[in-house]
Amino acid sequence: MTVLDESTTASTGSWTARLRLTPTNRRSGPLDGAWWPCSRDLVRELPALTAALDPLWGRITSVTVNPAYWPVIPRKVPVNGHVVRVGAFGAEQDPHELFLASYTVGRWDLLIVPPETAPDRAAALMLAAADPHNLLTASGLLKTVGPPAVACSRRMAGTRNVAPGAAEWESEGGAVRTAPAPTR
């Protein structure tokens, strides 16, 4: 479901954009909201996103992403009778942020909630990104908001007799593992 200023939904065919925006009269932080795509397929995802945003921000003309999490970045995507240009910036752009440009409003920056994110964490991230008082970047939000990723929790569950904080250290390869004592 798309949430636009808490009241509007938009979809194209069977694909719906999951979106939450900062209230238009209160934008002050580094993000203008959050987008939670269902996949890493920009050709499939961008039409629903721009269909939701075009009425609010004017026709979206271009989008940029960091290529770190997008396996294919098309140069152009057909959207509602026009074409959206797609660009990619590596080190210049936060890997978890989407830049959108329109003729009427200018540039908008959205947190990209990873498609594989659990729904409760995605909701928390989207709410935080749309908060007009948020001062964190997209990557900063992903590091600090919501419960830890499921994969991390499962990996930690098997850790025993480890000092607080050391479990994460060990799971990241920081702790030295000792060989078990030989049995006689």
Side-chain angles (χ1 to χ4, degrees):
M1 175 191 216
T2 304
V3 179
L4 303 174
D5 296 334
E6 285 88 32
S7 63
T8 309
T9 61
S11 67
T12 57
S14 62
W15 213 249
T16 301
R18 298 179 293 184
L19 182 65
R20 185 166 198 110
L21 303 175
T22 304
T24 54
N25 61 347
R26 302 174 100 182
R27 291 195 170 95
S28 62
L31 298 170
D32 299 301
W35 173 49
W36 184 23
C38 295
S39 71
R40 300 251 182 223
D41 182 351
L42 287 171
V43 173
R44 190 170 184 180
E45 297 286 346
L46 285 179
L49 177 64
T50 58
L53 295 176
D54 279 354
L56 297 171
W57 295 350
R59 179 178 279 188
I60 302 299
T61 57
S62 63
V63 171
T64 65
V65 295
N66 182 306
Y69 295 109
W70 300 96
V72 176
I73 300 174
R75 294 185 68 140
K76 297 178 181 179
V77 175
V79 174
N80 297 335
H82 70 285
V83 175
V84 173
R85 290 177 286 121
V86 182
F89 292 99
E92 302 88 1
Q93 185 170 344
D94 187 318
H96 301 288
E97 195 166 2
L98 176 82
F99 297 156
L100 301 112
S102 76
Y103 287 128
T104 56
V105 178
R107 179 176 136 175
W108 297 83
D109 304 340
L110 297 177
L111 162 71
I112 302 169
V113 177
E116 61 278 1
T117 303
D120 60 336
R121 182 163 191 246
L125 285 164
M126 294 176 81
L127 195 60
D131 181 348
H133 303 292
N134 169 51
L135 298 178
L136 295 173
T137 64
S139 288
L141 278 175
L142 282 168
K143 289 177 186 173
T144 61
V145 174
V150 174
C152 246
S153 298
R154 285 190 192 133
R155 185 174 59 229
M156 299 302 185
T159 305
R160 289 184 270 153
N161 300 327
V162 179
E168 184 174 352
W169 172 260
E170 183 173 284
S171 72
E172 293 175 352
V176 177
R177 296 184 189 264
T178 57
T183 55
R184 295 182 187 191

